Amino acid sequence: MCCCPATARIPWRPALSFSSSPFVIFLHFLYKIMAVHGPLVKIHPVVLASIVDSYERRNEGASRVIGTLLGTADKHSVEVTNCFSVPHNESEDEVAVDMEFAKNMYELHKKVSPSEVIIGWYATGYDITEHSVLIHEYYSREAPNPIHMTVDTALQSNKMNIRAYVSSQMGVPGKTVGVMFTPLTIKYIYYDTERIGVDLLQRTRASPSRTNGLTTDLAQVASAAGRVQEMLSTMLSYIEDVLSGKVMADNSVGRYLMDLVNKVPKITAEDFESMLNSNINDLLMVTYLANLTQAQIALNEKLVVL
Amino acid sequence: MGSLKESAVSGSNPLDSPVKQIQIDGLVVLKIIKHYQEEGQGSEVVQGVLLGLVVEDRLEITNCFPFPQHTEDDVDFDEVQYQMEMMRSLRHVNIDHLHVGWYQSTYYGSFVSRALLDSQFSYQHAIEESVVLIYDPIKTAQGSLCLKAYRLTPKLMEICKEKDFSPEALKKACIGYEHMLEEVPIVIKNSHLINVLLLDLQEKSTVADKHELLNLSSSNHLEKSLQLLMDRVDGMSQEIVKYNTYCRNLTKQQQQKQQYLQRRQQENTQRQSRGEPPLPEEDINKMFKPPQAPPRMDTLLIAGQVNNYCQNIKAFTSQNLGKLFMAEALQGHSS
C-alpha cells in the first residue's frame, strides 16, 4: 500500500496572471467570439515544430512555405497530428504548387500511419493572400472542408500567431461570389509523453547556447519537486492576498483549495512508518539483487576468459 | 545497402575519429515520441531513420522519418524503395538527406539483441559515425524523457567483421559485455524560432495535470522489470550450462586421446619386442572429433542485456527512494 503526496492540482489559474494589455485582451476576446462556427482544431506540437523547421530551410527568395496537414477528423473537431512541406513557387501574378510531390509524400506517409488523412494545409506568414485562395481550392479537392492554418514566422506582432480558418462562400450567387475565411478555435493537445518531451525542450530556452543535456535521475525528481513548490508558493501568495483583502475571494477557487487540503491522507504515524519502511525495504532489496546479478555476470565473464 | 553508400559518399567527409557527442533537434524528439504513441501500442518496436550531418566531432541529427511496420499482407513492400523515395522527396524541401543512424523504441530496456547488433553493424560499416537511438516510452511516461544513443565499440566491429564468435577469438580480443556498446552523450538543441514557438505554447496551453514523476506507486514497474531480468538470467544460466558441458566434453576427449596414444605406444613397444612391424600411426584427429565450441555471442548479448536491466532497475529504485523520503518529510510536517 502506498500513499501519494499532496500533488497540487490546479485546473484554473488565478486571475492575477492575466497581465497582458487591455488591447490584446480585447483582440483575444474578439477572436474568441468570432470563432463559433466550424470545428475545433486540435494541434499537436510536433506539427508546429515541423512547420517552423521547414520555414527555416526554405529556398532562397521564397518568402513563405506551404505544406499539407495530416490528421483525423470527426464531427466536431479536427486533430492535426502530422504535416509535410510542399515545394511551391510564388510570384506576383502566379503560383505553382508541386502537386505530384504532395501526392507522393502523402502515399509514403500513409504507409506508416494509415489512419491519417489530408485535412488541410498550412502557410507561414501573417495574411491570407489571393494565392492562398487558389491553393485552398486545390486542397478542397483532396479533402472535404479543408482547414487552412497560418503560422506567423516573421513574428509581425512579436508573437507567433497561429490561426486556423475554414473557407465558406459569400457574396451574391450568380454575380460576384467570393470566399471568406472564418477563423476557428485552436487548442493544443499533447499526449502524456509529448508533454514530457515539450517540458524538456522548454528548458533549452534557459541556456545561452540553446542546448540542454538529459538530466540524471535524482536531479529530475528534484526539479519536479521544485516545480510543485513553485505552484504551492503561487497559491500561498494568492491566499495571502485574499486574506488581506487585496483580491476578492472566489468561491470556486476556495472549493478547489478545500479539495486540495483534504487530499492529504490522514494516517496515524505508526501506520505511515510501517508503510514507508516496507517500501524502502523492497527497494533496497531490489537494489541489492541487481548489484548481486551484475557481480555474478562479471565473475562469469572473467571465468570464461580464463 | 546501395542507398546507404550513395548518401554517405555524396557530401559528408568520413572522419577517422568516432563522434563524441550527439546533438538532436527538438523536432526529432517530438517526432519519435509521436511515432511510438501512434503506431507502437500493439507491437514491440517501432523503427525509423535518422537524418543529419557530421560537424567536427559532433553528430547533428536534424530530422527523421518513421519506418512502416512489417505486416504479413505487405509482401511486395520494398523497404529500400521506401527509403529512397522518402529521402529524395526530403531533398526537395532542403531537409538533410544524409543517413546518420536509426532509432528504435524499446520495452522496459530490452534492446540488446542479435537483430540490433546486425543492423547497427551494417550501418556502422557503411557510415562510420552512425548511431542507434533507443527511446524508452515507458520510462518517459514515468516523467522524464529517456533517450540514449549507442554505437558498437571498434573491438566489436572487428569481431563482427570476422564473423568468428568462438571462445578463442573473443578471448583474444578481450571483449566483455561492457565493451559491446558504448553510449554517446546527447544534447538537445533548438533554434531561436523554435524557442519562440515554445514560449507561445507555454502561454497558451493549460498546466499539465499529471505529474507522473512524483508518482509513488512503483510496484508495477518494478515487478515487470524483475520478471524480465529473471527470464534473462534463466537464459544466461542455460548458456553457462552449455558452455560447461562443452568444457567437460573437451577435457574428457583430451583424456581419451591421451589414453589412446599411451595404448598405442605400449602396443608398439610390445610388437617391437616381438619383432613385428609397428602398427601404422592413425590420424587421431579423425578418430576423436573435437566437440563444437558453442558460439559466445549469445552469451555476451544476454550478459549485456542483464547488465542493462540491472542498471535501469537501480536508477529506478534510487529515484523512488528519493520520492519516499520526500513523502516522509511531507507527512511529518502535516501530522
Side-chain angles (χ1 to χ4, degrees):
Chain A
M1 229 197 9
C2 318
C3 61
C4 310
T7 48
R9 293 174 167 262
I10 309 186
W12 188 88
R13 281 188 201 232
L16 315 163
S17 64
F18 214 37
S19 56
S20 7
S21 81
F23 181 62
V24 177
I25 299 179
F26 179 68
L27 266 185
H28 276 263
F29 188 60
L30 204 63
Y31 182 58
K32 281 200 176 73
I33 54 169
M34 289 197 317
V36 270
H37 305 290
L40 174 70
V41 179
K42 298 192 234 170
I43 309 185
H44 282 263
V46 64
V47 173
L48 299 169
S50 266
I51 297 178
V52 169
D53 181 69
S54 47
Y55 175 75
E56 285 175 353
R57 291 172 183 279
R58 65 192 187 285
N59 285 320
E60 291 278 343
S63 61
R64 64 180 197 158
V65 183
I66 67 166
T68 313
L69 291 173
L70 301 170
T72 49
D74 63 11
K75 263 197 303 202
H76 303 290
S77 65
V78 168
E79 195 169 330
V80 185
T81 50
N82 205 350
C83 69
F84 56 84
S85 71
V86 175
H88 83 298
N89 287 320
E90 213 170 285
S91 60
E92 276 300 320
D93 33 337
E94 65 166 13
V95 60
V97 174
D98 192 349
M99 305 189 187
E100 261 309 306
F101 180 89
K103 275 203 190 45
N104 256 345
M105 277 295 257
Y106 177 52
E107 289 300 311
L108 289 175
H109 275 267
K110 244 171 95 129
K111 290 212 179 102
V112 179
S113 26
S115 60
E116 287 183 346
V117 288
I118 299 185
I119 53 166
W121 65 292
Y122 70 83
T124 59
Y126 191 56
D127 291 323
I128 305 184
T129 63
E130 299 94 34
H131 302 310
S132 309
V133 179
L134 289 167
I135 305 177
H136 198 83
E137 240 185 67
Y138 160 66
Y139 275 99
S140 351
R141 273 177 267 144
E142 300 284 325
N145 204 13
I147 309 261
H148 172 45
M149 198 164 87
T150 58
V151 177
D152 183 15
T153 42
L155 302 173
Q156 270 195 359
S157 51
N158 287 337
K159 256 185 185 230
M160 199 174 272
N161 274 313
I162 300 169
R163 300 211 188 286
Y165 305 91
V166 163
S167 79
S168 43
Q169 300 275 23
M170 72 167 184
V172 182
K175 291 209 187 136
T176 36
V177 186
V179 167
M180 179 174 72
F181 283 94
T182 35
L184 303 168
T185 9
I186 293 190
K187 218 168 84 144
Y188 300 112
I189 69 168
Y190 304 77
Y191 299 125
D192 295 330
T193 39
E194 264 188 336
R195 163 82 60 172
I196 294 170
V198 171
D199 279 340
L200 183 70
L201 296 181
Q202 299 278 10
R203 263 181 267 155
T204 64
R205 282 181 11 222
S207 104
S209 61
R210 293 168 285 123
T211 58
N212 181 39
L214 301 176
T215 49
T216 61
D217 318 298
L218 275 183
Q220 288 162 359
V221 178
S223 58
R227 281 201 290 270
V228 174
Q229 203 174 23
E230 263 179 46
M231 290 197 271
L232 284 175
S233 47
T234 319
M235 272 199 337
L236 277 177
S237 61
Y238 171 71
I239 294 173
E240 311 233 318
D241 282 342
V242 170
L243 282 179
S244 61
K246 273 194 243 169
V247 180
M248 280 289 295
D250 190 345
N251 279 335
S252 48
V253 177
R255 266 181 240 125
Y256 281 126
L257 288 173
M258 260 300 261
D259 270 347
L260 188 68
V261 172
N262 284 338
K263 275 216 172 86
V264 180
K266 277 202 170 56
I267 326 175
T268 57
E270 299 99 33
D271 281 348
F272 183 73
E273 276 289 318
S274 59
M275 276 199 284
L276 194 72
N277 283 333
S278 65
N279 265 332
I280 292 185
N281 281 338
D282 280 344
L283 291 175
L284 287 177
M285 175 186 76
V286 171
T287 316
Y288 173 73
L289 284 176
N291 278 330
L292 195 66
T293 320
Q294 274 187 314
Q296 184 72 30
I297 46 175
L299 208 64
N300 177 53
E301 199 72 35
K302 298 286 181 281
L303 286 176
V304 167
V305 173
L306 274 182
Chain B
M1 284 305 115
S3 64
L4 295 176
K5 268 279 183 235
E6 172 212 317
S7 46
V9 163
S10 66
S12 65
N13 302 319
L15 295 174
D16 288 319
S17 63
V19 287
K20 305 254 175 19
Q21 203 189 52
I22 308 252
Q23 186 177 286
I24 306 187
D25 263 15
L27 176 65
V28 175
V29 171
L30 288 177
K31 271 190 160 177
I32 295 179
I33 295 178
K34 169 206 180 292
H35 183 210
Y36 177 79
Q37 190 73 30
E38 295 197 341
E39 310 302 326
Q41 300 295 6
S43 60
E44 279 269 328
V45 288
V46 295
Q47 299 180 333
V49 170
L50 298 170
L51 308 163
L53 61 156
V54 182
V55 174
E56 295 156 357
D57 64 347
R58 276 198 326 257
L59 179 66
E60 293 196 16
I61 301 180
T62 51
N63 215 324
C64 65
F65 62 84
F67 241 40
Q69 309 273 23
H70 289 288
T71 49
E72 285 87 41
D73 36 292
D74 265 353
V75 194
D76 51 348
F77 175 72
D78 193 0
E79 256 191 39
V80 179
Q81 210 208 3
Y82 171 82
Q83 259 190 3
M84 296 285 296
E85 285 270 343
M86 205 52 164
M87 304 219 309
R88 215 181 304 142
S89 315
L90 291 176
R91 205 189 306 209
H92 273 295
V93 286
N94 297 339
I95 294 183
D96 295 326
H97 55 277
L98 302 173
H99 244 138
V100 289
W102 59 300
Y103 68 84
Q104 181 179 301
S105 74
T106 171
Y107 181 69
Y108 280 107
S110 56
F111 57 87
V112 184
S113 67
R114 202 52 191 275
L116 182 113
L117 206 68
D118 288 338
S119 309
Q120 182 60 13
F121 172 67
S122 51
Y123 259 91
Q124 246 177 274
H125 195 60
I127 304 163
E128 213 194 304
E129 303 88 9
S130 65
V131 294
V132 53
L133 269 188
I134 302 286
Y135 165 65
D136 191 344
I138 298 169
K139 197 140 183 259
T140 306
Q142 284 189 335
S144 65
L145 184 67
C146 179
L147 201 62
K148 296 214 168 100
Y150 291 101
R151 293 165 50 80
L152 298 182
T153 47
K155 281 193 208 163
L156 195 63
M157 288 288 287
E158 286 293 325
I159 299 262
C160 284
K161 245 184 261 187
E162 317 278 320
K163 290 208 192 306
D164 181 13
F165 298 132
S166 60
E168 291 81 29
L170 290 178
K171 211 186 290 191
K172 228 188 336 173
C174 307
I175 278 205
Y177 60 86
E178 306 111 0
H179 305 302
M180 286 207 310
L181 296 172
E182 56 182 9
E183 192 180 330
V184 190
I186 293 184
V187 149
I188 299 190
K189 181 159 161 23
N190 279 327
S191 66
H192 290 296
L193 211 50
I194 299 252
N195 277 350
V196 175
L197 177 70
L198 289 173
L199 195 66
D200 225 29
L201 279 180
Q202 196 174 35
E203 286 182 2
K204 299 248 180 72
S205 346
T206 51
V207 178
D209 56 348
K210 262 201 201 184
H211 292 277
E212 280 302 321
L213 194 50
L214 292 176
N215 198 359
L216 271 184
S217 62
S218 56
S219 46
N220 207 12
H221 182 258
L222 214 55
E223 222 180 274
K224 285 217 186 74
S225 311
L226 283 178
Q227 190 85 31
L228 289 168
L229 187 62
M230 286 196 311
D231 288 339
R232 282 315 167 112
V233 169
D234 280 340
M236 183 72 163
S237 59
Q238 279 178 352
E239 293 279 328
I240 292 180
V241 161
K242 255 197 267 178
Y243 185 71
N244 281 343
T245 37
Y246 159 73
C247 281
R248 245 180 287 135
N249 283 347
L250 199 63
T251 42
K252 239 195 292 180
Q253 211 190 44
Q254 300 280 40
Q255 282 181 340
Q256 281 180 338
K257 264 197 226 173
Q258 293 289 43
Q259 282 179 346
Y260 179 75
L261 276 175
Q262 274 186 342
R263 263 190 283 126
R264 271 283 151 141
Q265 289 280 22
Q266 279 185 342
E267 274 221 25
N268 277 340
T269 43
Q270 277 184 350
R271 277 175 177 241
Q272 274 193 336
S273 63
R274 274 186 273 158
E276 284 171 21
L279 285 172
E281 277 293 320
E282 283 177 15
D283 192 6
I284 317 182
N285 285 335
K286 268 203 220 129
M287 288 188 40
F288 292 95
K289 271 211 198 75
Q292 190 76 352
R296 299 290 301 161
M297 192 37 113
D298 290 327
T299 325
L300 261 192
L301 285 170
I302 296 183
Q305 186 59 66
V306 167
N307 191 32
N308 203 26
Y309 280 143
C310 288
Q311 282 183 328
N312 281 352
I313 289 177
K314 284 200 290 193
F316 183 70
T317 50
S318 65
Q319 262 191 327
N320 268 42
L321 277 175
K323 285 191 241 175
L324 281 176
F325 283 126
M326 267 204 316
E328 180 183 19
L330 198 70
Q331 196 73 7
H333 278 198
S334 61
S335 61

